[in-house]
Amino acid sequence: MNPSDELAPDPRPNHQRESHARRWGAVYVLAVLFVGSWLGQFFTQLSEFRSDQQEHGQAFQWADYLTNFFASTFENWQSEWLQLVFQAILLLGAKHLIFRVDAEDMERLEAKVDKLTEQLDRERA
């Protein structure tokens, strides 16, 4: 096989490599949204906790608040992770039904490419 017959890694002309920001930008955006929502929960719950403490005539203590804050955070995360795991299990269980047609089409195409490659090799020989 002639080396000039091989395809370049990316045959598109004038194509630039992906930058770090383009490749990882979505991760950074999600991290900012996560931290922002967690800070929103922190300050909202802090305001509510302080007003509850004042209503009952108790002094504010960070240890009590942080215990309350992390308990509510982990309670929320527990339900979210439970939903996520359940969805993942359902998708893994149904993947054979969902993607079976795609896999069969891909196998059919691969068989055709193999047959054409064999035919070209025989013609060259």
Side-chain angles (χ1 to χ4, degrees):
M1 181 176 210
N2 189 356
S4 63
D5 292 341
E6 294 180 26
L7 289 176
D10 189 352
R12 296 174 288 182
N14 303 323
H15 179 71
Q16 297 176 356
R17 293 184 68 189
E18 289 186 11
S19 66
H20 176 79
R22 186 177 176 118
R23 183 176 294 162
W24 291 96
V27 173
Y28 295 139
V29 168
L30 289 174
V32 167
L33 290 172
F34 170 77
V35 170
S37 66
W38 203 22
L39 285 173
Q41 175 191 345
F42 179 85
F43 289 114
T44 303
Q45 193 170 345
L46 177 64
S47 173
E48 182 182 332
F49 186 80
R50 281 189 172 173
S51 67
D52 284 348
Q53 294 294 78
Q54 286 176 350
E55 252 181 50
H56 295 97
Q58 299 173 342
F60 174 80
Q61 292 184 348
W62 278 104
D64 292 340
Y65 169 68
L66 291 176
T67 303
N68 190 334
F69 171 71
F70 284 114
S72 65
T73 296
F74 291 133
E75 180 180 310
N76 185 24
W77 286 356
Q78 180 183 10
S79 70
E80 296 298 327
W81 280 106
L82 182 63
Q83 290 175 33
L84 181 66
V85 168
F86 185 69
Q87 289 172 5
I89 289 170
L90 282 177
L91 284 175
L92 286 173
K95 78 176 182 180
H96 297 293
L97 297 173
I98 295 170
F99 299 112
R100 183 179 65 215
V101 174
D102 290 340
E104 289 171 355
D105 286 345
M106 193 58 115
E107 288 174 8
R108 195 180 89 245
L109 287 173
E110 287 175 359
K112 287 181 178 184
V113 168
D114 290 342
K115 191 180 278 188
L116 287 171
T117 303
E118 288 173 12
Q119 190 176 13
L120 286 173
D121 287 343
R122 277 184 291 199
E123 289 176 6
R124 286 185 186 159

